[in-house]
Each structure stands twice: as structure tokens, then as C-alpha cells.
Amino acid sequence: MEPLATDKNTGLDPAELRSALDGVHRAGVPGVFAEVRAGEQVWRGASGVADLETGRPVETGMRQRVGSITKTFVSAAVLLEVESGRIGLDAPIGDYLPRLVPGERGRRITVRMLLNHTSGLAEYLPYAFPSLKELAPGSLDDNRFRQFRPAELIEMGVGAPATGEPGSTPGVYSNTNYLLLGELLEHVTGAPVEKHIARSVIEPAGLAHTGFPVGPRIEEPHSRIYEAMFGTIDPPRDYSVYEMSWVMTGAGLISTVEDLNCFYGKLLGGEIVSPSSLAQMQRTVPVIAQDGRLLDYGLGLYKTEIPGHGTFWGHDGTVWGALTMAWTRPDGGRQFSAAMNLARWAKPGTEGTPHPIDDALAALKLQALRGPA
């Protein structure tokens, strides 16, 4: 879907968007697709292939494993329970889950600290996937069909050396926090967390193509996704069939670029959580991301600045083989969501030397959010 002409009022230029999208594909991503909204105008585009073996083209409506964008959905579900009085935002997690976070840590770590990654709880991934410490892919293949229990993953993170004191900043990004939030939601609602988030957030938002997977396969039309593991998997390997219990409420959701724009538009428009809850979600602290970036992180979402064009809120996320991002201006007047079927392309030792894909993605993001130069 591409508008036939530039809209002078919104600054949406199909030719420039198409060129920027194609640039990501030419830089080395097998397939990329995106949706940009500017006022009433909507542009969707796709470039490249969904399957390197068959050459099947990527399409704009394909489902995507959206990774840590899941965290915004989980956060919204938690805030709705805060509004109902079943969860205290600044209550200790030990009040709810004393067996998972026992003792003094359970008394000091609050729900808010889990949401904004200031709990000091370490990331469990290096323990669940030990080959990651050597940037080797063995654990990815070993765990392809493994059924993890959230409690065993949480135990790995809680048992690891703390990354900081509860509530201290900068926080350190950790999926352990969001697995705990999933267990918290199950505890207070009595429902499986995936079903609860569907009922409380996804369905009211009208997201017809968003949900948690059942089993290792994506049943709807989707792309194969290729993991490079920083150049150690060459050629990149297809991980589109994968049991997602390793990160379900941290990064397990499946969605589309259209649904993501719809979700963030409604969230920032006050249609999912109350204005006061949204204000809490937008109270940021510095958080160190897994790639070393320093994020202005709120409760399940963070902000990015486009010089001369203001602040945008959203999240990005990866799983093995897939990268997704979604950004929305606070007034909802400009939105951008994009999905790619390649992850971790840069080789070790290249810090400070931008990869062509990084440059192309930055150009696409800037074009999508600011409009024509």
C-alpha cells in the first residue's frame, strides 16, 4: 500500500520512503517491511525476500516475532491492575512472589523497579544459553524445542550476581524483570498470563493479528528469520521455528507493523491505560541496554529524539533472527513501525565502525519520523 503522491501537509513522501526501505535491503537485510502513518496518510512498503532459498518476497502484512516490544504490552497489563487496586506500583515484589524473590531482596525490589529495570536482578540469558558467553550458537540449536518454565529462568537471574542495588541508577536491562511481571500477573488474576494480556490489552485495542504463540511455529503468513550472532553464524541460520518459552513475557509476542502502530497510537492517546498510568510509564530513568546504549527508559517503553522533530515513544526488540521497532510521536501524528528478518549482523571488534545496515536503518528511521528533508 503506497500513496500515489506526496501529502504536503503531513510530509509523507512515498518515493523517499521507498528509497530508504530499499536501502536497508541493499545494505544486507534479506527482507524488511514497514508502515508509516502521518496524520490520515498511511504508507506501507516491503523490500527483499522472506525466504532466501525460494526467493519468496517479503510482504507488508506478515507476522513478526517482535521481541522486547512485548514489554510495553506487559507493562500496560500491569498498570491496568494497578488501576484496579490489585497491584501496588511501589509495593515489594516479595509481597506477591516471596518464593521467587525471597528475603531482603524481595522486600526491597518493587514492581516499579521491575518495570523500569532498576531492580538489580541480572539477565538470565547467559545461564539459559551458556554458549552466548563465547558468542557461539550451540545453545540456540540445543534449546530450539526446549520447554522452559518461567520459574527456572527467574531462578537463574535471581541467583546470579546483582547488577546493582534495588532502585539505583543507571539500571541494567534484564528479561528476568519481565518474567517476574508475568508471574505477578498470573498470581493476581488467576489466569494464564498470555490469556490475561490478550483479554486486558490486545483485544480491547482491536489488534487482530497480535498474540502469543502456541508452539514453536508461526501459523499465519510470515518470513523466515535469520540469526547471524555477530558474524559467528555464517551464513545466518533460520530460526523461524522456535519454542519461545525462553522469553515469553519478555519478548515472545507476535504482531504486525500495522498492529504495532495501532497499539502505540492508542496507548499514547490514553485509550489503553489511564492518563495517570501513562504519565507513570513516561517517567524515565537511565538504563543500560544489552548492547551498551544508555536508554531513557520508563515503564515498558522508552523515548528517542529526532533533532528538530521532537520526542518519540516506543520500543524495539529482537529474538533469534528478527528485529522490530515501533515509534510514535506523543500526539500520534507521526508513527513508524518496521520489521526485519536478520539480527546481530555486526561482527565483534567493529565497535565504533557503523555497519552499512546500521547506517541504512538510521536513514529509514529518520526519513519515516521527520518526513522529507
Side-chain angles (χ1 to χ4, degrees):
M1 171 183 178
E2 298 191 23
L4 297 179
T6 301
D7 186 299
K8 298 298 184 182
N9 295 318
T10 64
L12 193 156
D13 190 312
E16 291 185 359
L17 288 167
R18 163 57 58 187
S19 177
L21 193 73
D22 288 342
V24 176
H25 171 55
R26 287 194 302 269
V29 175
V32 53
F33 52 103
E35 181 188 84
V36 181
R37 299 185 181 189
E40 297 300 316
Q41 295 290 307
V42 180
W43 177 90
R44 299 187 190 107
S47 184
V49 298
D51 189 324
L52 287 169
E53 291 185 4
T54 67
R56 173 171 57 95
V58 72
E59 299 176 1
T60 59
M62 284 181 164
R63 309 306 189 270
Q64 172 86 346
R65 297 193 190 275
V66 300
S68 286
I69 288 173
T70 305
K71 291 179 173 64
T72 312
F73 288 78
V74 173
S75 179
V78 170
L79 267 295
L80 288 171
E81 295 307 307
V82 171
E83 292 174 18
S84 75
R86 284 190 285 264
I87 292 176
L89 186 57
D90 292 302
I93 189 60
D95 286 359
Y96 305 99
L97 303 173
R99 292 185 179 181
L100 291 178
V101 192
E104 182 183 1
R105 294 176 89 186
R107 292 189 292 272
R108 294 181 64 194
I109 295 171
T110 66
V111 173
R112 183 191 300 273
M113 293 174 196
L114 298 176
L115 286 163
N116 67 11
H117 297 291
T118 60
S119 69
L121 294 175
E123 176 62 69
Y124 64 81
L125 283 177
Y127 304 93
F129 294 81
S131 71
L132 294 181
K133 298 172 186 177
E134 288 77 40
L135 293 182
S139 298
L140 274 64
D141 297 318
D142 293 343
N143 290 331
R144 185 186 286 266
F145 297 107
R146 180 174 174 180
Q147 186 73 46
F148 284 101
R149 293 179 297 106
E152 68 177 305
L153 297 170
I154 290 168
E155 184 178 6
M156 295 175 190
V158 172
T163 60
E165 290 294 315
S168 65
T169 57
V172 178
Y173 193 94
S174 172
N175 283 291
T176 305
N177 295 317
Y178 275 76
L179 293 198
L180 275 164
L181 292 166
E183 294 298 283
L184 172 63
L185 285 169
E186 288 201 353
H187 175 75
V188 300
T189 67
V193 63
E194 295 87 359
K195 291 184 178 180
H196 173 72
I197 293 172
R199 289 198 300 262
S200 66
V201 178
I202 296 171
E203 292 170 8
L207 309 180
H209 305 299
T210 299
F212 288 95
V214 178
R217 297 181 181 274
I218 303 175
E219 300 301 329
E220 302 87 355
H222 63 281
S223 171
R224 294 184 181 274
I225 50 179
Y226 300 97
E227 178 61 47
M229 192 51 66
F230 307 106
T232 63
I233 307 178
D234 189 14
R237 192 170 302 158
D238 173 14
Y239 285 107
S240 52
V241 177
Y242 210 96
E243 168 55 53
M244 296 301 294
S245 60
W246 64 277
V247 73
M248 193 66 85
T249 52
L253 206 64
I254 294 170
S255 191
T256 63
V257 291
E258 181 178 3
D259 269 13
L260 291 179
N261 277 339
C262 180
F263 169 68
Y264 281 104
K266 290 186 175 182
L267 178 69
L268 292 173
E271 299 180 45
I272 294 178
V273 301
S274 70
S276 61
S277 291
L278 180 60
Q280 294 288 344
M281 294 180 76
Q282 293 176 305
R283 287 179 55 185
T284 65
V285 296
V287 169
I288 301 171
Q290 290 178 333
D291 61 5
R293 290 176 297 156
L294 192 64
L295 308 177
D296 289 320
Y297 204 93
L299 306 185
L301 78 168
Y302 70 98
K303 63 181 179 180
T304 187
E305 302 288 340
I306 302 297
H309 298 269
T311 298
F312 293 79
W313 291 90
H315 216 291
D316 52 14
T318 68
V319 292
W320 313 134
L323 169 64
T324 314
M325 60 183 67
W327 300 104
T328 292
R329 200 168 67 195
D331 65 0
R334 192 93 187 184
Q335 294 187 269
F336 166 58
S337 291
M340 286 137 278
N341 60 3
L342 178 70
R344 282 163 284 275
W345 46 79
K347 294 184 179 181
T350 59
E351 294 86 356
T353 306
H355 190 284
I357 294 175
D358 295 314
D359 288 338
L361 273 178
L364 173 62
K365 180 179 176 181
L366 188 62
Q367 176 58 44
L369 294 180
R370 79 173 186 182

